[in-house]
């Protein structure tokens, strides 16, 4: 009984203490709507909300973008596949070089042959024999030389393709990094927006219960609260999708902290045309297309070697001959020079040459396509830099102005100078203004990265290198002879606000005249 008695007293004391604290916390300002943001976390992590696991772990120390890209281009499967394709092309090139060197074979034969005549002085063909045979190509119409050159340029094509892949993967990694930062902020904004709408709804509900509010206002507040929750769920889903893309590229989930990126916003060329000149000199896709043209030209020359004679040197050293043929001609060492000349091959050689010529034309068309694609990518990215830099201060001023208006509307609503709809619209506009500013800021950084990637300079800007012994092949001089890309970019569209205002129709004080279908008032 004593234990129950003390337990009841303890519970009553807690209840009284909580009531007193709640009453003592009230001030004369309690009538003002409190929209202080108290939560910047996803739904389920705000105070008073049920916990909901996002399903994606945030673990591990923070990582810089440079370290992340360097690790990614070393371990990413797509980059690794391109790297091994390049190594295979190098080995194929080395195999072609072997055509210049002699070929040495050890040949052993054992035969069973019918004897039609007696074996005088052991001069018949031996039953067993071992020979060392040397074969050296002396002239093959320069087929080997052209084939070696072709495969050398083909290896360079693979080299530039892996450079392109690394630039592409690095660009995707940068975008995933920036998008993860952006959508984390979006989730925080959506959480703040949800909290603000929840506070408005709770206050309206209190007024309705007290009989001083309208039921329609409560329905309006509830509708906007549902929309705010839906926005929060949408942004949380978007964040999970971005983190999945981040994991696909890097092989790991993003850490809890992603440092801000500020080293992208460096200078670019003063004009898009100047930026194109740099692009055509260093873009790996353009360089790979040019190398492919040179490779196909070497292939044409290699196929034309069939029209030339072929000279080979053949040397034979007998190491062992059975006793029944030790005095035969076949037992002696020999050296011989042979020439072969293709007189007629059913026009097959002509067709093969024609086929490789068409491949050369195809390679030229692919180079022209690479020029156009690269120009489009560069110009769009460069234009985005110019436009987003102009938009950023406007977006910033927009969100600051809306923030001030939001605070003013909150106070005016409590004294009856603003409607509930005005207040809710201001909250949504503030939410959208914050998202628009963040989007512009992140997109500007991404636009810089896209410009550098199009120029083949993204890895250099990040100071990133592969951790293995990746070769650094110098660009060949003949490439300049094949660069036919037009370094002409479209002019940036300039907007003259003063001219737009001058061309606009002035506001008419009589709004009825501007409304279609409304009769014009008589002057009488």
């Amino acid at each position: 009984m004593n234990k129950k008695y003390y337990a009841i007293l303890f519970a009553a004391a807690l209840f009284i203490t909580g009531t007193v604290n709640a009453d003592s916390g009230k001030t004369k300002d309690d009538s003002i709507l409190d929209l202080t943001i108290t939560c910047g976390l996803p739904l389920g992590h705000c105070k008073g909300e049920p916990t909901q696991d996002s399903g994606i772990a945030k673990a591990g120390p923070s990582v810089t973008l440079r370290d992340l890209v360097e690790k990614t281009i070393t371990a990413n499967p797509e980059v690794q596949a391109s790297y091994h394709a390049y190594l295979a092309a190098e080995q194929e090139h080395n195999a072609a070089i072997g055509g210049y060197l002699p070929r040495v074979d050890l040949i052993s034969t054992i035969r069973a042959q019918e004897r039609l005549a007696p074996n005088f002085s052991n001069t018949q063909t031996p039953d067993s024999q071992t020979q060392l045979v040397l074969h050296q190509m002396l002239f093959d119409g320069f087929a080997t030389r052209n084939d070696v050159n072709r495969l050398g340029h083909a290896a360079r094509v693979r080299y530039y393709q892996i450079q392109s892949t690394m630039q592409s993967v690095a660009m995707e990694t940068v975008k995933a990094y920036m998008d993860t930062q952006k959508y984390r902020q979006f989730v925080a904004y959506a959480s703040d927006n949800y909290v603000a709408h929840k506070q408005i709804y709770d206050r309206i509900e209190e007024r309705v219960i007290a009989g001083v509010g309208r039921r329609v206002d409560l329905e309006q507040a509830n509708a906007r609260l549902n929309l705010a929750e839906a926005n929060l769920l949408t942004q949380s889903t978007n964040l999970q999708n971005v983190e999945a893309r981040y994991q696909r590229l890097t092989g790991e989930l993003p850490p809890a902290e992603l440092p801000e990126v500020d080293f992208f916003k460096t200078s670019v060329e003063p004009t898009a045309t100047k930026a194109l000149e740099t692009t055509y000199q260093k873009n790996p896709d353009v360089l790979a297309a040019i190398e492919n043209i040179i490779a196909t030209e070497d292939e044409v020359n290699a196929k034309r070697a069939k029209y030339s004679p072929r000279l080979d040197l053949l040397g034979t050293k007998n190491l062992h001959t059975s006793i029944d043929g030790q005095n035969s001609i076949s037992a002696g060492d020999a050296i011989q020079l042979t020439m072969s000349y293709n007189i007629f091959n059913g026009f097959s050689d002509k067709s093969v040459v024609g086929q490789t010529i068409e491949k050369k034309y195809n390679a030229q068309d692919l180079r022209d396509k690479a020029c156009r694609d690269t120009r489009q990518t560069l110009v769009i990215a460069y234009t985005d830099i110019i436009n987003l830099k102009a938009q950023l201060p406007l977006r910033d001023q927009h969100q600051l102005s809306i923030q001030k208006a939001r605070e003013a509307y909150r106070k005016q609503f409590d004294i009856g100078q603003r409607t509930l709809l005005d207040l809710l619209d201001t909250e949504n506009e503030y939410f959208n203004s914050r998202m628009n500013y963040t989007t512009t800021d992140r997109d500007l950084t991404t636009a810089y990265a896209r410009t550098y990637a199009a120029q083949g300079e993204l890895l250099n800007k990040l100071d990133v290198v592969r951790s293995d012994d990746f070769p650094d092949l110098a660009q060949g001089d003949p490439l300049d002879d094949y660069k036919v890309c037009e370094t002409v970019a479209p002019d940036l569209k300039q907007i003259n606000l003063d001219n737009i205002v001058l061309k606009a129709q002035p506001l008419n004080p009589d709004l009825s005249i501007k409304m279609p279908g409304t009769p014009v008032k008589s002057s009488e």
Side-chain angles (χ1 to χ4, degrees):
M1 292 295 295
N2 291 335
K3 291 183 179 180
K4 292 183 178 180
Y5 176 77
Y6 287 120
I8 293 173
L9 288 179
F10 181 73
L14 288 178
F15 176 79
I16 295 173
T17 302
T19 304
V20 171
N21 289 339
D23 292 338
S24 63
K26 294 183 179 179
T27 65
K28 61 181 180 180
D29 296 328
D30 280 346
S31 59
I32 299 177
L33 186 61
D34 181 14
L35 293 182
T36 303
I37 302 303
T38 58
C39 180
L41 299 175
L43 182 64
H45 296 273
C46 299
K47 185 177 180 181
E49 294 290 345
T51 301
Q52 294 181 1
D53 189 1
S54 64
I56 295 183
K58 307 290 192 308
S62 62
V63 59
T64 64
L65 180 58
R66 176 194 173 278
D67 295 336
L68 179 66
V69 172
E70 188 169 76
K71 180 180 179 181
T72 300
I73 66 169
T74 302
N76 182 270
E78 187 178 356
V79 177
Q80 287 298 94
S82 297
Y83 179 58
H84 289 295
Y86 162 72
L87 294 180
E90 279 290 340
Q91 293 298 328
E92 188 177 10
H93 177 235
N94 295 335
I97 295 176
Y100 288 123
L101 303 177
R103 190 184 76 208
V104 180
D105 298 302
L106 184 66
I107 302 176
S108 294
T109 59
I110 299 177
R111 71 173 65 203
Q113 183 175 353
E114 181 182 4
R115 303 294 184 180
L116 300 179
N119 184 11
F120 295 102
S121 302
N122 297 329
T123 57
Q124 290 185 349
T125 302
D127 291 335
S128 64
Q129 191 173 26
T130 300
Q131 294 178 319
L132 190 64
V133 180
L134 180 143
H135 182 276
Q136 175 64 59
M137 182 272 300
L138 299 180
F139 179 74
D140 61 354
F142 305 109
T144 299
R145 185 187 69 178
N146 288 309
D147 208 37
V148 169
N149 292 339
R150 175 183 69 85
L151 293 174
H153 290 292
R156 282 182 168 271
V157 171
R158 294 295 188 183
Y159 173 79
Y160 287 124
Q161 285 177 347
I162 186 178
Q163 291 283 358
S164 176
T165 303
M166 287 194 297
Q167 294 286 339
S168 177
V169 170
M171 180 63 245
E172 289 187 46
T173 303
V174 170
K175 191 173 187 311
Y177 186 97
M178 301 303 300
D179 285 347
T180 301
Q181 287 184 326
K182 179 175 72 173
Y183 282 103
R184 283 181 178 179
Q185 286 187 290
F186 283 1
V187 169
Y189 296 158
S191 300
D192 293 344
N193 186 53
Y194 173 79
V195 170
H197 281 81
K198 186 67 168 64
Q199 291 175 347
I200 293 174
Y201 176 82
D202 292 341
R203 182 54 55 88
I204 299 300
E205 186 179 34
E206 291 176 3
R207 293 182 177 183
V208 171
I209 294 175
V212 296
R214 295 177 297 181
R215 174 67 62 178
V216 66
D217 289 343
L218 184 62
E219 294 297 334
Q220 182 68 46
N222 183 56
R224 294 298 182 90
L225 179 62
N226 292 331
L227 179 60
E229 184 176 353
N231 289 336
L232 178 55
L233 293 174
T234 298
Q235 299 306 329
S236 298
T237 301
N238 292 338
L239 176 59
Q240 289 181 332
N241 295 340
V242 168
E243 288 178 333
R245 174 156 51 92
Y246 181 105
Q247 185 183 26
R248 175 182 66 83
L249 292 166
T250 65
E252 59 188 25
L253 290 170
E257 296 294 333
L258 293 177
E260 292 295 324
V261 178
D262 57 0
F263 49 85
F264 271 127
K265 298 178 182 179
T266 57
S267 60
V268 292
E269 286 78 357
T271 64
T273 299
K274 290 291 185 181
L276 272 179
E277 293 177 0
T278 302
T279 300
Y280 289 146
Q281 292 293 328
K282 299 181 179 180
N283 181 271
D285 292 326
V286 175
L287 298 179
I290 294 174
E291 289 284 1
N292 193 37
I293 294 175
I294 302 176
T296 54
E297 290 181 346
D298 289 327
E299 185 178 6
V300 171
N301 294 331
K303 299 303 182 183
R304 283 176 174 163
K306 294 290 186 179
Y307 298 146
S308 301
R310 177 185 177 96
L311 295 177
D312 293 280
L313 181 66
L314 187 66
T316 304
K317 173 67 176 179
N318 273 282
L319 303 179
H320 164 74
T321 302
S322 59
I323 192 170
D324 59 336
Q326 61 183 358
N327 295 324
S328 67
I329 297 176
S330 301
D333 299 335
I335 185 170
Q336 60 186 17
L337 180 67
T338 61
M339 184 194 79
S340 61
Y341 198 176
N342 172 28
I343 302 299
F344 179 71
N345 193 26
F347 303 109
S348 296
D349 296 332
K350 179 181 179 181
S351 298
V352 169
V353 171
Q355 177 190 10
T356 53
I357 290 176
E358 294 301 325
K359 289 176 63 176
K360 183 184 72 171
Y361 295 151
N362 175 262
Q364 293 173 347
D365 294 334
L366 292 177
R367 175 204 53 194
D368 296 340
K369 181 179 183 301
C371 290
R372 296 186 181 188
D373 292 346
T374 302
R375 179 175 58 200
Q376 173 183 314
T377 302
L378 185 277
V379 170
I380 291 176
Y382 187 90
T383 304
D384 285 346
I385 291 178
I386 303 302
N387 292 334
L388 291 172
K389 287 178 68 175
Q391 289 183 35
L392 192 61
L394 301 177
R395 298 289 189 187
D396 189 27
Q397 186 58 48
H398 178 224
Q399 70 169 349
L400 292 177
S401 299
I402 293 300
Q403 183 179 12
K404 294 178 182 178
R406 170 176 166 271
E407 294 296 327
Y409 273 41
R410 182 192 67 176
K411 296 177 181 179
Q412 292 171 1
F413 172 76
D414 282 293
I415 60 177
Q417 293 182 351
R418 291 290 176 182
T419 66
L420 175 63
L421 191 60
D422 292 336
L423 182 63
L424 294 174
D425 287 343
T426 306
E427 287 295 334
N428 283 337
E429 188 172 0
Y430 178 60
F431 169 63
N432 291 328
S433 68
R434 298 175 79 188
M435 291 183 61
N436 290 336
Y437 174 79
T438 299
T439 298
T440 303
D441 180 59
R442 303 300 177 185
D443 287 351
L444 177 58
T445 302
T446 305
Y448 274 98
R450 286 162 45 212
T451 301
Y452 299 144
Q455 294 178 327
E457 286 289 294
L458 180 56
L459 296 180
N460 292 336
K461 293 292 183 180
L462 289 170
D463 193 25
V464 167
V465 293
R466 279 179 61 101
S467 59
D468 52 12
D469 297 330
F470 187 73
D472 185 13
L473 300 183
Q475 181 176 316
D477 295 334
L479 295 188
D480 294 332
D481 299 334
Y482 295 85
K483 291 177 180 175
V484 297
C485 303
E486 295 182 359
T487 56
V488 178
D491 295 331
L492 295 177
K493 306 302 180 184
Q494 301 294 334
I495 300 177
N496 192 320
L497 299 179
D498 294 333
N499 289 341
I500 293 177
V501 174
L502 290 175
K503 294 178 181 179
Q505 293 290 337
L507 292 176
N508 196 316
D510 191 352
L511 298 180
S512 63
I513 296 178
K514 300 185 67 177
M515 296 177 62
T518 303
V520 180
K521 291 183 179 180
S522 175
S523 59
E524 297 180 357

